Amino acid sequence: MAINRYTKMAYGSADDMIFGKSKFPVKAGLDLEIGGGYTSPEVNYAPRPEAGASKEKLVKEYQRITTDIMNRMVQVGFPSVVLETEHVEQMTNNPTWGGEVAHAQKEIMEEFHDEYGIKCALRHTPGDIREDRDFLGLRGDKFNVLMESFEEVAANGADLLSVESMGGKEVFDYAILRNDVPGMLYAIGCLGTMDMDFLWQEIASVAKKHNVVAAGDTDCSEANTAMFIGGGLLDKNLAHTLAIIARAISAPRSLAAYEAGAVGPGKDCGYENTVIKAITGMPMTQEGKTSTCAHSDVMGNLVMQCCDLWSNESVEYHAEFGGTSVQCWSESLGYDCALMNTALATGQEKTLRDLFTLSDKYRDPQGYVLAYDNAYRVGEAIVKDGNDIYLRAKNAAIKSVEIMEEGAAGKLDLTRFEMGALTDAKAALEALTDDQDTFMSDCMAKYKEEVKVFLPENYGL
């Protein structure tokens, strides 16, 4: 399949973007439409560790999880739901395990759909197992096992295919610990995009073969790592101004999935998805305030602003006072979606969107840049040089710096620590060449020397 780079925005203005509506809705699963005028919960879960002891135990665990979620949705009267199964490693490394789990889940979902008319779809996200001891092995034997896993789940009931791919992570981990912005740009924007191009053409062809949906990726392995190291307002391990620069660079990298054939919904933990929706017009999943079971963030309302599916990121399956964990969290997601859907039905959607955004916009530089009006501007910076994977990532980084400087001159409070990191990052970005070949060859020489686990053959170099 061909790569089609984005050189223009799907939306004429940021104000046209809204939750529950996309330019290119996706029909999937059992009567579900994503981004077609309503939002749906996307429930994500993890089996208990002991359930991974055998295939039989794992299948039973996922049957229980699936039944619990579907039952709670129907009990409370929610019209639609998506289930996301993020594979534990056994399910991807043994592709038939993932296939059997998908089959078992889909059978249960079909029963609920037949009986109660609930619209639903199943996403499967095989783990990116492409590593060999200390090294990434992006194109070797493990790649073949990963693709076999996609084949198995696509053939056995998964409606949406996703992955959280790892390309560029070996260089990113080195760069982020050293506040090395050019290194982050090389790792995410260049190496990450090159791996996405390679991987997503393959995933898209599996999806096409089985008549299912190639959904999307997320830069969890890099931009979320930066966000988590950044932590909260008291943490000083990594400036949040740097974490959001990494996030801005991750947008063109995650965009590459859609350029290679993915059609959405983008995956939940991609906080860059507002930028990607602005560029592609495709539906996106987001997570925030209702994913506190998995992690904290500083923009939990804001990220609801343009979501089409609303997720809890992940929760281990166990008992709570209100039912099992998956029942409690799916119900919370369902009520969030009911509010958004009521806003859509009554013409109040832009008011609600703006309240979501404003409640977090000035809390932290990350939310400020990802607020839909600013996210749209990052998108414009990307598509301006959409055919050059280096320049578009550099543009995104520079635009995020510009947006933060504007914020700091207004209502966005930045500490001396945050401002210092921003000033240094700006200087590093301004010193960079505009020529992709020069940047790539300089970085290749530098990181091959400094990062022992960096193997250029992982990227076809």
Side-chain angles (χ1 to χ4, degrees), residues 42 44 84-86 123-126 161-165 200 215-220 258 264-273 283-287 311 313:
E42 179 164 15
N44 202 320
E84 184 188 2
T85 300
E86 291 183 345
R123 188 195 305 250
H124 263 241
T125 303
L161 305 181
S162 281
V163 68
E164 300 183 4
S165 60
W200 273 93
D217 206 304
T218 148
D219 194 36
C220 183
Y258 309 96
K267 198 172 138 34
D268 55 2
C269 61
Y271 282 71
E272 63 272 18
N273 283 347
M284 295 291 143
T285 305
Q286 301 272 192
E287 66 186 38
S311 163
E313 161 67 13

Side-chain angles (χ1 to χ4, degrees), residues 301-320:
N301 283 322
L302 180 138
V303 284
M304 294 174 84
Q305 58 194 356
C306 300
C307 74
D308 298 287
L309 298 174
W310 181 236
S311 163
N312 66 315
E313 161 67 13
S314 191
V315 69
E316 188 186 69
Y317 185 58
H318 58 247
E320 299 280 8

Side-chain angles (χ1 to χ4, degrees), residues 231-406:
L233 302 182
L234 301 178
D235 295 316
K236 298 269 191 302
N237 294 323
L238 177 72
H240 295 194
T241 46
L242 282 185
I244 188 60
I245 291 171
R247 180 71 65 190
I249 297 167
S250 80
R253 174 256 177 219
S254 295
L255 178 68
Y258 309 96
E259 295 172 326
V263 296
K267 198 172 138 34
D268 55 2
C269 61
Y271 282 71
E272 63 272 18
N273 283 347
T274 303
V275 179
I276 294 170
K277 184 170 181 173
I279 296 171
T280 64
M282 290 174 187
M284 295 291 143
T285 305
Q286 301 272 192
E287 66 186 38
K289 75 180 182 72
T290 314
S291 63
T292 49
C293 46
H295 63 84
S296 176
D297 70 35
V298 287
M299 45 199 158
N301 283 322
L302 180 138
V303 284
M304 294 174 84
Q305 58 194 356
C306 300
C307 74
D308 298 287
L309 298 174
W310 181 236
S311 163
N312 66 315
E313 161 67 13
S314 191
V315 69
E316 188 186 69
Y317 185 58
H318 58 247
E320 299 280 8
F321 287 158
T324 57
S325 55
V326 294
Q327 292 182 306
C328 298
W329 288 94
S330 62
E331 183 170 337
S332 292
L333 292 169
Y335 277 117
D336 289 341
C337 290
L339 177 63
M340 290 187 274
N341 293 342
T342 304
L344 284 161
T346 56
Q348 300 295 313
E349 64 271 29
K350 287 189 175 179
T351 304
L352 183 58
R353 174 197 65 190
D354 291 350
L355 290 170
F356 285 149
T357 302
L358 280 169
S359 76
D360 300 325
K361 187 172 183 178
Y362 301 102
R363 189 185 303 280
D364 186 86
Q366 297 172 89
Y368 188 77
V369 173
L370 290 175
Y372 69 90
D373 52 335
N374 289 330
Y376 185 89
R377 294 168 63 198
V378 174
E380 288 180 312
I382 292 165
V383 299
K384 181 164 65 106
D385 291 295
N387 286 311
D388 185 318
I389 64 169
Y390 161 63
L391 268 188
R392 69 186 195 169
K394 180 182 164 215
N395 292 353
I398 289 170
K399 181 57 72 176
S400 71
V401 169
E402 195 182 298
I403 289 167
M404 283 186 274
E405 287 181 330
E406 288 170 16

Side-chain angles (χ1 to χ4, degrees), residues 39-83:
T39 61
S40 300
E42 179 164 15
V43 193
N44 202 320
Y45 34 76
R48 292 164 289 194
E50 59 271 22
S54 71
K55 181 174 73 178
E56 293 68 31
K57 282 187 168 167
L58 210 50
V59 169
K60 278 208 165 59
E61 184 89 335
Y62 281 108
Q63 285 173 322
R64 282 191 289 266
I65 288 169
T66 305
T67 304
D68 282 1
I69 294 167
M70 297 305 296
N71 197 47
R72 181 60 63 96
M73 293 289 101
V74 171
Q75 285 279 25
V76 187
F78 295 129
S80 59
V81 68
V82 176
L83 274 63

Side-chain angles (χ1 to χ4, degrees), residues 165-198:
S165 60
M166 302 280 277
K169 184 156 176 67
E170 72 289 63
V171 174
F172 173 80
D173 286 351
Y174 177 87
I176 194 78
L177 294 175
R178 290 162 179 78
N179 290 351
D180 171 6
V181 175
M184 286 159 43
L185 184 59
Y186 181 58
I188 305 173
C190 300
L191 298 178
T193 300
M194 290 155 78
D195 181 54
M196 292 282 284
D197 287 348
F198 168 75

